[in-house]
Amino acid sequence: PTLGIQVDNMASPEWIFGIAAVGTFLERKYVLAAASRRFYAHLPASKQVKVANYMLELFNTTAILALSVWGGVFPLLADPDRLALAGADQAYRLAAAAQLAYFGLLTMYLTELAFDPELRLGVVMHHWISILLAVWGLWAVDILKRDHTVLRCFFAHALYITTEQNVFAEMLLYHRKA
């Protein structure tokens, strides 16, 4: 391991994590907070925080799901033997999608935990369990030498997180009507 990163290597995990962390923070702190104030001005400030978090989850999970589709997650889940036959381009896309999904979900959940001091216990537990499973997944993938079965488990867990858009859309519509 090195202490620093190569400034010209934008594909490094450090750059991707930094961009995801700063981008998610800026998105939530400024863009979504402003949108919440604009479109949900009738709600008290504590509810606007929750609405901004619903927006964060709706937009980010959709982007992460799209990246997963681009990376080829579904063929891996349906037929793991296809991955062994994948070329370098497909392997690169899958690895890039995995990194982006991991960092995107991690920063999204941590940002949501940081911005809402009144988050329900069930949601807090859901986020922390998902974060712990994601960290375990990276560790397991490395220990088991990128075994296809572990990769499938890792991506199946990511799909559980990235397919909740209907919940957040429903919550946004509910608060819009209230």
Side-chain angles (χ1 to χ4, degrees), residues 49-147:
V49 167
K50 294 189 180 310
V51 165
N53 282 343
Y54 300 150
M55 291 177 189
L56 178 72
E57 291 232 22
L58 179 65
F59 297 142
N60 289 23
T61 57
T62 302
I64 293 166
L65 182 61
L67 282 168
S68 298
V69 169
W70 168 81
V73 169
F74 290 105
L76 173 64
L77 290 173
D79 184 13
D81 294 331
R82 283 179 61 184
L83 187 62
L85 303 173
D89 183 52
Q90 178 59 39
Y92 174 81
R93 283 184 24 206
L94 186 61
Q99 271 191 352
L100 291 166
Y102 176 78
F103 292 137
L105 291 171
L106 185 69
T107 58
M108 179 183 67
Y109 276 175
L110 290 173
T111 301
E112 187 175 351
L113 288 165
F115 275 92
D116 190 349
E118 298 174 9
L119 208 55
R120 289 178 299 119
L121 179 62
V123 176
V124 171
M125 289 176 55
H126 161 76
H127 285 7
W128 278 112
I129 288 170
S130 295
I131 289 167
L132 291 173
L133 285 173
V135 171
W136 166 82
L138 282 183
W139 182 62
V141 166
D142 184 58
I143 286 176
L144 297 173
K145 308 297 182 222
R146 290 145 190 87
D147 178 69

